[in-house]
Amino acid sequence: MEKDRYIRQTTLVNFGQEGQDKLQFSKILIVGAGGLGVPVLQYLNAMGVGTIGLIDNDVVSLSNLHRQVLYTEADIGKSKVQVAIEKLKAQNSNTNFEGYEAFLDATNAFEIIKKYDLIVDASDNFPTRYLVNDACVMLKKPFVYGALHSFEGHVSVFNYNSGPTYRCLFPNIPKADEIPNCNEQGVLGILPGIIGNLQALEAAKILAEIGNVLSGKLLVFNALDQQYHKFNIETVQDNLEIGKLQDSYELACDVALESIESGAFLKLLKNENIQCVDVRTEEEYDDFHYQNTIHIPLNRIEEKQDLIDFKKPVYCLCQSGIRSQKAIQQLKTSHPDAKLINVEGGYNILKSQVSGRVISTKEK
Amino acid sequence: MNILLFGIAKDIVGESVLTIEGELQPPKTVGELKNYIVQLHPKFGELSSLAIAVNSNYANDSMKVNDGDEIAIIPPVSGG
């Protein structure tokens, strides 16, 4: 009987037994067992993905039932992970389930994510989305992104074969209260079903290695008009290099980061004896750099910070102004009172202003 | 110039399309466009990440915009 189970899939040209075997030997983690997670779980489980991990720490509530169609009235008050796995086992007893009754956070993300081939971000909040992104980038795992707002849904595949990440689309985590969530905004029951299914489709394509994966593109679906828009996104190289997770992904009420505009920085560098730390890689630094700068690559910033005089202001510089911000975040934890200043836009902007002042060691 | 609005941008403006017409100095770059929109609807100034697409391509602030371009404003969305 079991060999008939997937026969409609294995019969498919360009999928076949080979595609089925790839699903069977895959391990996928679903972050969130809510509106998006439920359809992802149901379809990937039905289709024969071998190992399904599921992490959530929520319990079923009455107001979930209009969209989280795996749960029933009898499940109210019970753990979503427990209820979901019980039902999914009845749906497909061959699947190996791994349930985590916890919320993904900076302390457990690595241990859990590293065990899987592919991650599905079916969460409902920005801190988790940025954490999933950063952990997946560091562990080199692709992830399928899905998110909702009113009658609109977004889908993409991030960090796939060095493709763009979530931070290439939205570099910084929004501040608290900037963007309302589903609880505040409301959501039509069917919408997470549609978006979750699009995520499941992308997941199946990645695992079975078929079709064109939605990497480098953001798909936006408008339910009221039945319209799909696709936007092209490019990889920002800096976003593929994440040295460590943030200590906290909680939404900041105000992100305090002192920065200096490139023109003002150039004047200071020319006329004053300022302390400037270049946090780019060896190769980048060798390629070109300003004179009188201290070179400490971002991944060594903590061990080599005694090269910095924290009694003086510290100007942090990189290629595009992103790694320098990360350096500042790291230095701030050990030197909360230091004056740390980010050079906005980094060399990308500086070079366009005065290319003649850039020192190339190759020419020296 | 027509600007397609998504996510909270649609809620802020109250429409799904924002039309810029009859301006003496229409915005020439994505950066100028962002400033223009913030002046029109100050709530945009409170958003820390705001993706803009020009002709379906994600665009940086320095990118030029022309009258016939299809512009889209895509703020982050979080629901699930």
Side-chain angles (χ1 to χ4, degrees):
Chain A
M1 186 187 98
E2 270 310 307
K3 79 175 172 57
D4 288 343
R5 181 170 196 126
Y6 303 113
I7 194 148
R8 297 289 183 271
Q9 253 167 211
T10 53
T11 313
L12 259 179
V13 178
N14 298 331
F15 188 84
Q17 189 58 46
E18 195 187 335
Q20 194 61 49
D21 289 345
K22 284 177 182 164
L23 292 189
Q24 169 61 36
F25 293 111
S26 294
K27 301 181 80 174
I28 191 163
L29 176 71
I30 320 297
V31 180
L36 294 170
V38 161
V40 174
L41 287 161
Q42 288 181 291
Y43 269 101
L44 293 182
N45 185 47
M47 289 166 71
V49 172
T51 298
I52 296 180
L54 171 60
I55 177 164
D56 200 321
N57 205 21
D58 203 5
V59 295
V60 179
S61 64
L62 182 63
S63 65
N64 295 151
L65 299 186
H66 84 292
R67 67 188 189 285
Q68 300 176 22
V69 296
L70 185 61
Y71 310 121
T72 66
E73 291 169 13
D75 301 323
I76 291 171
K78 294 181 186 165
S79 149
K80 285 187 181 176
V81 166
Q82 282 182 27
V83 172
I85 289 178
E86 190 186 308
K87 297 190 184 203
L88 294 166
K89 269 183 181 158
Q91 184 191 26
N92 191 342
S93 58
N94 301 317
T95 310
N96 171 34
F97 292 103
E98 295 168 351
Y100 305 89
E101 286 180 75
F103 287 119
L104 196 73
D105 62 29
T107 66
N108 63 19
F110 273 130
E111 285 309 303
I112 296 172
I113 287 176
K114 74 178 184 193
K115 294 195 268 186
Y116 297 89
D117 308 310
L118 177 65
I119 315 304
V120 177
D121 173 10
S123 68
D124 63 355
N125 62 84
F126 287 118
T128 306
R129 295 186 184 287
Y130 280 85
L131 171 64
V132 167
N133 178 79
D134 292 359
C136 284
V137 167
M138 290 178 70
L139 293 165
K140 301 206 182 325
K141 307 278 186 184
F143 69 100
V144 184
Y145 161 82
L148 312 169
H149 180 91
S150 298
F151 296 99
E152 193 178 298
H154 294 193
V155 184
S156 188
V157 174
F158 290 124
N159 202 40
Y160 177 79
N161 290 344
S162 303
T165 75
Y166 186 45
R167 286 189 188 269
C168 299
L169 182 61
F170 301 116
N172 303 312
I173 189 163
K175 285 173 271 186
D177 302 330
E178 243 182 64
I179 311 278
N181 60 30
C182 276
N183 294 350
E184 296 154 0
Q185 188 77 12
V187 59
L188 198 68
I190 184 93
L191 186 66
I194 294 166
I195 299 302
N197 274 306
L198 289 174
Q199 287 182 276
L201 171 62
E202 288 308 309
K205 281 161 58 184
I206 293 167
L207 297 178
E209 299 177 282
I210 56 166
N212 296 315
V213 172
L214 195 65
S215 167
K217 294 177 189 338
L218 174 72
L219 178 73
V220 178
F221 172 68
N222 180 337
L224 293 181
D225 303 327
Q226 286 278 25
Q227 267 192 334
Y228 293 88
H229 284 93
K230 261 196 231 173
F231 300 103
N232 299 312
I233 320 161
E234 287 191 11
T235 307
V236 178
Q237 208 57 31
D238 278 1
N239 291 329
L240 297 179
E241 293 156 22
I242 294 178
K244 65 171 210 174
L245 294 180
Q246 290 172 211
D247 294 332
S248 166
Y249 282 80
E250 289 313 303
L251 297 182
C253 289
D254 189 25
V255 183
L257 178 79
E258 197 174 338
S259 59
I260 183 165
E261 177 270 318
S262 54
F265 169 75
L266 278 175
K267 265 187 206 152
L268 279 179
L269 190 72
K270 195 176 166 192
N271 301 319
E272 311 223 18
N273 184 24
I274 60 165
Q275 175 176 234
C276 177
V277 178
D278 186 330
V279 300
R280 296 174 305 153
T281 62
E282 296 286 350
E283 290 78 3
E284 289 174 297
Y285 191 80
D286 283 350
D287 198 22
F288 57 82
H289 61 263
Y290 285 117
Q291 272 181 323
N292 304 324
T293 50
I294 303 166
H295 179 226
I296 310 177
L298 178 62
N299 59 5
R300 304 190 64 188
I301 195 91
E302 278 186 342
E303 51 173 300
K304 295 184 81 174
Q305 53 179 276
D306 53 351
L307 293 174
I308 304 170
D309 179 5
F310 287 98
K311 291 190 206 85
K312 286 170 62 178
V314 184
Y315 291 84
C316 284
L317 173 65
C318 71
Q319 192 64 32
S320 73
I322 292 176
R323 275 174 290 172
S324 50
Q325 287 185 37
K326 291 174 188 165
I328 288 175
Q329 279 172 2
Q330 291 188 34
L331 293 173
K332 253 201 172 117
T333 53
S334 50
H335 296 86
D337 298 326
K339 192 170 172 60
L340 305 164
I341 304 142
N342 185 49
V343 181
E344 273 176 10
Y347 272 101
N348 286 347
I349 304 289
L350 293 167
K351 277 176 77 183
S352 65
Q353 295 197 348
V354 277
S355 54
R357 274 189 53 79
V358 175
I359 305 298
S360 168
T361 49
K362 283 178 183 158
E363 287 162 18
K364 270 200 268 185
Chain B
M1 186 182 288
N2 284 331
I3 304 169
L4 305 177
L5 305 170
F6 294 95
I8 198 174
K10 196 185 279 184
D11 304 338
I12 290 172
V13 176
E15 306 275 349
S16 57
V17 180
L18 177 65
T19 305
I20 299 178
E21 54 187 356
E23 289 295 316
L24 288 174
Q25 286 185 309
K28 291 191 191 66
T29 63
V30 168
E32 285 180 26
L33 179 77
K34 280 185 181 169
N35 291 337
Y36 177 87
I37 292 164
V38 170
Q39 277 176 15
L40 220 61
H41 298 278
K43 251 192 121 29
F44 278 112
E46 296 168 20
L47 303 178
S48 29
S49 277
L50 191 66
I52 305 259
V54 178
N55 299 326
S56 296
N57 294 312
Y58 184 91
N60 296 320
D61 284 4
S62 58
M63 203 166 284
K64 296 234 178 332
V65 291
N66 299 305
D67 209 24
D69 289 341
E70 186 187 77
I71 317 272
I73 300 183
I74 313 151
V77 305
S78 78

